[in-house]
Amino acid sequence: MPRYVYRFGAGEADGNAGQKGLLGGKGANLAEMTALGIPVPPGFTITTEVCALAVDGETDLRTLLGSQVDAALERIAELSESAFGDRNNPLLVSVRSGAPVSMPGMMDTVLNLGLNDETVQGLAEQTGDGRFAYDCYRRFVAMYGEVVMGVRAETDGDESPFAVLLSDKKSEVGVTDDSDLSADDLRSLVTAFKIEILKRVEQPFPEDPMAQLWGAVRSVFGSWQNKRAVFYRRMHGIDSKVGTAVNIQTMVFGNMGGDCATGVAFTRNPATGHSGFFGEFLLNAQGEDVVAGVRTPENIAKLGECMPEAYEELLTVAERLERHFGDMQDLEFTIQRERLWLLQTRTGKRSGAAMVKVAVDMVAEGYIDERTAIARMDPAKLDEVLHPTIDPESKPPLIAKGLPASPGAAIGRIVFGADEAEAWAARGETVLLVRNDTSPEDIHGMKAATGVLTARGGMTSHAAVVARGMGKPCVTACRALAIDPAKKEMRIDERCFSLGDLITIDGATGEVFAGRAGLVPASIGDEFGTLMGWVDEVRRLKVRTNADSAIDARTAIAFGAEGIGLCRTEHMFFAPERILAIRQMILAQSLESRREAFAQILPMQREDFKDIFRVMQGMPVTVRLLDPPLHEFLPHTDAEIAELAKASGRTTTNVKRMITDLAEVNPMLGHRGCRLAVSWPEVYEVQARALAEAAVASLADGVPVQLEIMIPFVSVPRELEALRPLICDVVDVVLEAAEVELPYLVGTMIELPRACLVAGDIAEHADFFSFGTNDLTQTTYGLSRDDAGRFLPDYLERGLLDDDPFVRLDREGVGALIRVGVEQGRAVKTKLKVGICGEHGGEASSVEFCHREGFDYVSCSPFRVPIARVAAAQAALRGEARSK
Amino acid sequence: MPRYVYRFGAGEADGNAGQKGLLGGKGANLAEMTALGIPVPPGFTITTEVCALAVDGETDLRTLLGSQVDAALERIAELSESAFGDRNNPLLVSVRSGAPVSMPGMMDTVLNLGLNDETVQGLAEQTGDGRFAYDCYRRFVAMYGEVVMGVRAETDGDESPFAVLLSDKKSEVGVTDDSDLSADDLRSLVTAFKIEILKRVEQPFPEDPMAQLWGAVRSVFGSWQNKRAVFYRRMHGIDSKVGTAVNIQTMVFGNMGGDCATGVAFTRNPATGHSGFFGEFLLNAQGEDVVAGVRTPENIAKLGECMPEAYEELLTVAERLERHFGDMQDLEFTIQRERLWLLQTRTGKRSGAAMVKVAVDMVAEGYIDERTAIARMDPAKLDEVLHPTIDPESKPPLIAKGLPASPGAAIGRIVFGADEAEAWAARGETVLLVRNDTSPEDIHGMKAATGVLTARGGMTSHAAVVARGMGKPCVTACRALAIDPAKKEMRIDERCFSLGDLITIDGATGEVFAGRAGLVPASIGDEFGTLMGWVDEVRRLKVRTNADSAIDARTAIAFGAEGIGLCRTEHMFFAPERILAIRQMILAQSLESRREAFAQILPMQREDFKDIFRVMQGMPVTVRLLDPPLHEFLPHTDAEIAELAKASGRTTTNVKRMITDLAEVNPMLGHRGCRLAVSWPEVYEVQARALAEAAVASLADGVPVQLEIMIPFVSVPRELEALRPLICDVVDVVLEAAEVELPYLVGTMIELPRACLVAGDIAEHADFFSFGTNDLTQTTYGLSRDDAGRFLPDYLERGLLDDDPFVRLDREGVGALIRVGVEQGRAVKTKLKVGICGEHGGEASSVEFCHREGFDYVSCSPFRVPIARVAAAQAALRGEARSK
């Protein structure tokens, strides 16, 4: 029979930290800690292999595992000198999930399992504390009722039936705190809970501990497939086939009195990366109380005052674990009657800033080498490090302060629920989720929100951990907040804020402001520069930026861009003083009047280009000639139409008719890109002239220029064959007149399937290819980005697609076309320069693809340049590893 | 030095009929006729190789060819016992174009070249007819002025300056007929013409015959690139690189008196294919007079009465030529003083009906074999044979009668100009072009019109020849018509018809009717059936039809369809009694109400399918499940919106908002096809049930059923993986309940680039592939069919594209994807059934592609089934020829 159960306890373990795939992260690390001699309550792990069997529902787990589980249970009973179901000396256990990849709070947990009407008395006698025993019992029945028997609130967000009964009981007795309920109160509550279960699911609460155990095991495995877990996996790209393990472990109690505690700690600061022990604890509490944020915990340093010995031991254990695992650890511990027990250790989730600082510090401390530091980066998280923070000079009124749970500034409209957050975000609002505390049910709302603010919780509460994981600013424990979700408002002192009001939070300071704060660029720590130095030594791919203005270009250079891969000229047209000229150009009936109207734009474009050349100082600048369909420039409001009519000497009716005439059924597939220039060559002529004149003027000012002119939306090689000489003629005349020698390239954007398929013929007329993967994805899939919102989320949720192809390059379909394009192109011109300038240029997996396919560069938005640099370095490292 | 000049005359020729590529059709056949001993005026041909050199303008033709031309000219001077430029005995020549492919009237011609103020006197003396000599001279100066010197009307359609001067002269003298002008009148007209030329182009008319000759040669070569010729080549898919030859030939005169004539004849009837000599002539006229339709010619039979000997000789020559060339010939001849001269023979253009009849008759007559008959078919022309004709029972009032110049019925709105025709057609009107006569400048208008009606001309006039070539109905020589182009009206007796009035013409009878005639299906001759029998023996590809109704299916079967390749179910929804239920289904908020609304459709769909199965009698029927985005079904008018609101118990505001919500930016790339079914599986469930129930009911009625269910718009293999079982479950339950065994296929439409690229994975879940080349072309090119009208014509005109990719399958791009799809699919399933169901399925070149790629079938609209059958047979023949 295969081995499905791995035991740990009393310094011996069947498994080890290397078996995360089989035992899950929690199980593997419990085994490892046990073997290291660290105090871990004895227990055992049921492997992830069982998960698939449990989920398909066709295997009877007890038949499969029964004997292995019985044996393991017997051993932990021995070690704890108790027995499962024994009325005098009962063994109580926890049943917890634990997947190979951490999914905190996503799956179910059952604590205090083994209690029933008999064993609860044994527990009371054993501990001499009837109140404690019944408190454990009522928690267990409620937890079991919810998790295993499915007795839950009918609507998400409502209180559970058990919570309602608890509130009722407190009212009845006349107390406000749970801890003021007596043992008798709690006993009658247990009865009420059992009645509620029987009424709701028409099955009694099982008194048999073995039945309890199997019920819990099945449910915890089953929770792998619950909605939250599925959503989380999708969000984090976790394969749903890996499954979870289940850990059954002897209970230890942090809630047995004043000499007990429970807490969570990090070996370094997960928000900033600074060294120093970091964490929180609660005296006389169970672990869930810390994470759920119901009570606001104390700073871990205070533990040294209350229980100096246990605290010292914890510090020693923490340091040992960090050194052993070679990374920042996130620990869960319980102190039962002054004795320390470790319940979990795992690699600590951290903010982007902490990710960089910890890795660089650990290289300095000799824990890891530089390549490991690079490999450890989650490129997407670098984003947060670079984003702006609140400008200290322009802070709006400070209204409250909480804990700085996840750094960064967030400005958004207040919403009070997760669904609300999602709905508002879907219609384009930037929202800030405000809650008393968050729970796993709120994940989708947190994802939709730009930041999170909670009245309760702490630095390690659900809201804090999840927000840090998502890289969203978060402030917790903001006690001044009085939230009324029903009225959809919150009060701070006398001020009232309603649904939709704008506020700002600073997750680095815990400050909350009314209205919109001004922002300044992030101040980036030295560690960032150090890391990027290592990265640049390793990578082969060049990283450019998509920038339409000198400002963007400057930002990108600060982030390490090595050129501009995409400068969209149409964005230069939308400025109010230019748009009217563009519109007149579009409405012009004759070539002459079109050229005239467009000539007004020439000097403006020339100045734009000059500014960009000045910033780029000789780095390559790829300028894409006009791409969007003309109707995008036309006005929609009556006032604008009237203005245009007046300016162009037409009637409004006439202007309206022309707007209607220019409208397209499928603008994505319409009269755009080089098709416009085929109809109206003067458009590209004027742009080419502006570019050439800007280059000449820049050179005269001593500014070096490296110009690459890009023709978009080619589907037929002859388009390029026709347009290239048109552009070169204009540029050459300007250069010759100025007696300037300037080599420049003319290339094309490959963004249509046909362009990939005839890339060889296209390459005859192109000096470079830049893959426009946004449009290429749209056409390859037949999927309009503007319309996909109606069904793409469904596809992802139901696993029809693993990833959003607009975020992560589809290697199978779009990638196959790109491969054909590169091969054909390079077959004609061996040294053809190849790059990418779609959104994918700043996404790690897509950058790796480009590395593998031999691209010369990737280009992405300024803030993603560091991401691309790191991803390029990681791709190079993986490439080396493969070729070894 | 390469040989650029090929001589012919007096029974000897340098070239022969096999050299059409080098000598053009006219030149090669003149050489062949000469060698056959048929009387041809001596001359020589300058080869097509010179055309490219002439057109690029960088080669001096006289330097290149001078010596060869001089030698050839000397020889024809010898043969005609005259000399070029000799004032006593002048040699006059014609200079005509002649491409390898016939392009009648598209390029330029100069007649009577060699005349000047001196030689005209020689001609007068030699012929003893001063009036004749000056008539030739004035014609020559005008023609040379127009063609070589570019003195033309400033606006297309206006009379030329020379025609104006001619009219003025007639008024001045007080005569109405050209022939009433005296020699003196004509001489003074020549002077007026020369003054006009000098005034307009500031160059004198050249008196030197050699200068005239070289000017004419250059111009005739140059006319290869004129707008008409370019348009014609594009319309007929002629490669612009082939070029034209130029023929220089001794003049013979049909206008030297009553013993002279000129005419055009066909060896069979080009409209019907019936045997018997067919043609027209004019006494005392030059050839252009017949073709231009200025004078209405006489039936050729009358020539036997006027000049019995020449007529007999002509009949003998005609029969000999037909037998020699093995195909119906189109002859041009001139009789000069009772002596017959052949000026041209070529394969006669013919109507679709004639094409079939001539080929089948010629097989019977032993001229050709069956395979040659098949190879000679122009598949696209079969279309005309099959289209409806006027119902004799429901003819509107007959208003006039002309010559039956090109068969078929045309119903359209009157337009009087070519540009007008194009403009009206562009906005969706069906128009009928009404003219006094047509000229090459009108080609684009004829193409835009559904038919052509002329007041003048005859069976061989420009209008007649071009209309037959295009397969458009045409009535010529309708003398009752009095057209006033300026007023935009025409009068017939007392009745007046204006621009936009509806008329009907019958090109098979020459009848013209006021208003709209009823139509009945074409009566197809026996020859058609004979030919199709041969075709079906040769072809390997099956031919199915796209049919959404029993009526369409019945038509297609009559045309030889072997199954339905595409039955679009959405068309079944648009019937007025169904559309409301569909709309309610779309607006339904819950699954339940959606299913309920949709269930109303089920019985109707079931009946539709039963009807189709009954017609198809066990032939395969491929049913495509719902494809279009839902907003296509929603109403647009306020009345319909109100009705829908009432029926579904909503406010109109609510309905309008839902319509807006469902609108898409790029519907082509939107929420459609199987994406709908992923969101709303019940749509496909209901359709599958209707299909299964229809199959069961049909089988119970003894009707055999072969069902193929097709899932559209797949881009991700998992879509099919998810939807296939959903459909099969429904179908299987119905079949099992009825205790019926019915094998059926579930396959998919491959219509997106990604589907081709991952076709292997798709094939795992598909029993067949049907390539939807319409959408595949749209996505591969990034080209919306709805929007391409704004620029695609430009692309074709300027040669950026050789063909409209929506008409003729793009083998390079779309074809490459199809090849990948077939290869991948068949690699997974060797016997995967593969078909095509886009518009291309009825286009010959695309059908050939499908044959080559190993498709099982093509599917096309009912009327195109015969086209596809012939194209499939031709592809098979060509395949055999290649493999030999």
Side-chain angles (χ1 to χ4, degrees), chain A residues 384-408:
Chain A
E384 344 160 359
V385 183
L386 307 169
H387 270 104
T389 55
I390 289 171
D391 179 3
E393 303 300 307
S394 77
K395 286 186 179 176
L398 180 73
I399 48 173
K401 211 169 165 194
L403 291 176
S406 179

Side-chain angles (χ1 to χ4, degrees), chain B residues 323-339:
Chain B
R323 188 160 290 276
H324 181 75
F325 287 107
D327 202 352
M328 189 230 303
Q329 295 298 297
D330 167 1
L331 313 171
E332 281 180 32
F333 64 91
T334 286
I335 298 169
Q336 179 178 326
R337 300 206 164 138
E338 300 208 339
R339 177 154 178 212

Side-chain angles (χ1 to χ4, degrees), chain A residues 390-506:
Chain A
I390 289 171
D391 179 3
E393 303 300 307
S394 77
K395 286 186 179 176
L398 180 73
I399 48 173
K401 211 169 165 194
L403 291 176
S406 179
I411 305 172
R413 300 194 177 280
I414 298 173
V415 292
F416 295 102
D419 293 341
E420 213 162 54
E422 208 173 44
W424 282 52
R427 58 174 201 262
E429 297 283 356
T430 305
V431 296
L432 219 139
L433 182 63
V434 178
R435 304 277 285 167
N436 277 319
D437 42 45
T438 67
S439 73
E441 277 90 1
D442 297 318
I443 291 277
H444 63 291
M446 295 178 73
K447 186 158 162 64
T450 185
V452 180
L453 169 64
T454 68
R456 299 204 283 249
M459 292 293 286
T460 56
S461 67
H462 178 267
V465 171
V466 173
R468 278 199 295 271
M470 290 181 178
K472 309 232 176 197
C474 177
V475 171
T476 58
C478 184
R479 286 157 208 261
L481 251 59
I483 300 174
D484 186 335
K487 277 199 186 157
K488 305 218 180 230
E489 58 179 43
M490 69 174 197
R491 294 192 159 273
I492 298 176
D493 304 328
E494 293 309 294
R495 289 188 72 163
C496 177
F497 296 84
S498 307
L499 181 69
D501 286 352
L502 204 66
I503 58 170
T504 298
I505 61 171
D506 185 341

Side-chain angles (χ1 to χ4, degrees), chain A residues 661 719 790 795 798-799, chain B residues 661 678 718-719 790 795 799:
Chain A
D661 284 353
E719 291 170 325
R790 202 170 288 145
Y795 269 62
R798 297 170 54 180
Chain B
D661 284 353
V678 167
R718 284 181 224 167
E719 290 171 327
R790 202 167 292 144
Y795 269 63

Side-chain angles (χ1 to χ4, degrees), chain B residues 385-386 521-529 558-559:
Chain B
V385 183
L386 307 168
S523 67
I524 299 165
D526 294 342
E527 291 86 359
F528 183 81
F559 290 149

